[in-house]
Amino acid sequence: MSRSVLFLVAGCLGLAACASDPEPTAQMSAAELAVGQLADTSAPTYALEDTHLARRKLEDAHRAVEQAENVRARRLAEQALVDAQLAQARTDAALAKKNLTELQASNDALRREAASSSPTR
Amino acid sequence: MMMGRPIVHAAGLVALGAALAACAATPPAVERARSSVSAMHQDPLVTQHAPVAAARADEALARVDAAAQGAANEAELNHLAYLVDRRVQIAEEQAAASDAQARIDTLASDRDQILLDAERWQAARAEARADSALAAARAARDRNAALSAQLADLQGKQTERGLVLTLGDILFEVDGAALQPGGQEQVRRIAEAVKAGGNDRILVEGHTDNRGTEAYNRDLSQRRAAAVRDALVQDGVAPDLITVRGRGEDYPVATNDTAAGRQQNRRVELVIGAPTA
């Protein structure tokens, strides 16, 4: 008797938990957008691992939504978002550093050239 | 101060124990999130270049703290701590990107300066080249002016016989007939003038002073005049326009009693536009 009541209570709590975790629509679309934007960038070149991670988590989030595992779906979507943003940030940093190095080399070459053609004083 | 009161002392121990228990109860994920955010705030690049991203990391940490205060399970705490960790990394990458970009901006203005300097140097070099070209042109003009002056000197004597140009003794080798380079140059100028002026006839007369025998002087004056003729021909004057005479010492233009006078007498005269040979 008391055991079955306990199960009932636990069951209700479980249902309540399910009902109070709606489908993470906002998180899904934010992750979708961020992961989608990576396709147009050099992220696959400069942050391959994080790009893969974000894509895989977004796919897993979709599957979790289909299976009504809304908590898992929300976590996966939230993680896919930050993974995608990190991939973007890493890419931006890598590109900026690459440009910096190239510009430094180019300036050095220009300086040498200018020095060799400058009037002797 | 509490040492003398055992009851209070015991209460203190209990409180300490509770605090330790609370510490031990803090999930490691939460601890890691807190320390990574506080480390992020120590990074001056993040503070300077990525304040917005840093604020997002702070918000993520606030979610962790709120969840830890509530009854969140370990899976949720680990998830939220993961978000914090990624937000901190995003802030650091953005700071690195902005820092690199700031350096790029500096290098770009360096580059402009280098190019500007190079242009200035090139302009200065071009100017120096132009200056030396101008100097060369001026030197050439001065040289021409000097030659013209020399020629004008020679042309100074219009006589009834025609225009008489005189080549002085110093234009010939000592006691010989060969023209010195200066003499050759003057003959060349005269030849140019004659060719340009319509090919007048030219009488070339050699003269000497009265030192030495008359025969020697006549021969020397003849050879000097011939040397001038040869030079004129070499410079393009038609040979049949030229007549050569060795006058010897018979036609002095100055006294033979002084060295200066004798030098004036040793000469070759070119009579241009002479009526007949």
Side-chain angles (χ1 to χ4, degrees):
Chain A
M1 177 63 186
S2 66
R3 256 176 97 89
S4 62
V5 168
L6 207 64
F7 271 120
L8 191 67
V9 169
C12 284
L13 278 174
L15 280 172
C18 286
S20 71
D21 282 308
E23 197 178 311
T25 322
Q27 289 90 336
M28 288 295 289
S29 49
E32 199 88 58
L33 188 67
V35 172
Q37 279 171 346
L38 291 182
D40 300 330
T41 68
S42 309
T45 308
Y46 292 99
L48 185 62
E49 205 180 313
D50 292 309
T51 304
H52 278 331
L53 206 58
R55 284 177 181 158
R56 212 183 58 221
K57 282 178 182 172
L58 182 61
E59 286 165 15
D60 289 350
H62 279 301
R63 266 193 289 280
V65 168
E66 283 164 17
Q67 290 160 13
E69 293 178 43
N70 287 346
V71 172
R72 209 172 98 78
R74 172 179 57 78
R75 287 177 188 157
L76 284 166
E78 285 180 337
Q79 291 190 10
L81 172 68
V82 290
D83 290 343
Q85 288 182 347
L86 180 55
Q88 188 60 67
R90 280 199 211 286
T91 303
D92 293 345
L95 282 174
K97 283 173 187 167
K98 184 166 167 274
N99 289 342
L100 179 65
T101 310
E102 284 172 3
L103 192 52
Q104 261 163 349
S106 158
N107 274 12
D108 288 347
L110 265 182
R111 266 199 200 91
R112 276 195 301 274
E113 203 180 310
S116 68
S117 67
S118 73
T120 45
R121 301 175 192 196
Chain B
M1 63 189 86
M2 291 181 191
M3 296 305 237
R5 300 166 75 171
I7 296 164
V8 178
H9 185 74
L13 272 177
V14 169
L16 182 63
L20 280 170
C23 278
T26 306
V30 176
E31 281 301 315
R32 278 201 308 277
R34 283 176 185 158
S35 66
S36 79
V37 168
S38 95
M40 176 194 75
H41 283 297
Q42 301 299 309
D43 186 342
L45 282 184
V46 171
T47 315
Q48 188 187 344
H49 292 298
V52 175
R56 299 298 298 273
D58 286 340
E59 287 164 18
L61 182 60
R63 268 181 85 186
V64 169
D65 286 336
Q69 296 278 313
N73 60 29
E74 200 182 337
E76 182 67 10
L77 282 179
N78 281 337
H79 162 65
L80 294 176
Y82 179 86
L83 297 185
V84 170
D85 180 56
R86 301 303 257 183
R87 287 275 169 219
V88 168
Q89 288 188 57
I90 290 168
E92 281 165 353
E93 291 294 337
Q94 283 188 2
S98 298
D99 182 54
Q101 191 57 53
R103 288 166 196 262
I104 285 171
D105 294 344
T106 308
L107 286 181
S109 66
D110 283 356
R111 183 186 183 78
D112 290 345
Q113 191 58 50
I114 294 167
L115 291 174
L116 201 64
D117 287 348
E119 268 173 38
R120 285 206 194 105
W121 285 333
Q122 277 178 355
R125 267 195 306 169
E127 203 176 323
R129 273 199 300 270
D131 280 351
S132 70
L134 192 62
R138 279 192 186 127
R141 196 193 57 201
D142 290 349
R143 203 166 48 240
N144 288 346
L147 288 171
S148 301
Q150 286 175 3
L151 201 51
D153 243 15
L154 294 169
Q155 285 170 342
K157 293 162 209 159
Q158 272 290 352
T159 70
E160 66 277 7
R161 295 197 296 158
L163 176 63
V164 177
L165 308 179
T166 302
L167 298 175
D169 181 50
I170 57 165
L171 298 177
F172 297 86
E173 69 177 323
V174 175
D175 220 20
L179 272 167
Q180 303 286 17
Q184 288 170 3
E185 175 63 20
Q186 296 213 358
V187 170
R188 192 183 64 76
R189 304 289 303 179
I190 294 166
E192 293 304 319
V194 168
K195 285 188 286 178
N199 292 317
D200 291 324
R201 298 193 61 83
I202 306 171
L203 174 62
V204 182
E205 288 185 332
H207 299 274
T208 65
D209 57 21
N210 64 355
R211 294 288 176 98
T213 66
E214 199 183 331
Y216 175 84
N217 284 337
R218 197 165 297 282
D219 177 63
L220 178 60
S221 64
Q222 176 75 32
R223 284 187 291 126
R224 282 187 168 184
V228 171
R229 185 218 26 228
D230 292 347
L232 284 169
V233 170
Q234 204 168 0
D235 289 326
V237 179
D240 57 359
L241 290 178
I242 306 168
T243 305
V244 173
R245 292 268 187 276
R247 299 290 194 191
E249 59 192 56
D250 299 341
Y251 299 91
V253 288
T255 176
N256 276 311
D257 296 341
T258 65
R262 285 194 294 275
Q263 188 174 27
Q264 275 182 276
N265 289 335
R266 297 192 296 269
R267 69 198 192 276
V268 171
E269 288 177 354
L270 293 92
V271 186
I272 296 175
T276 54

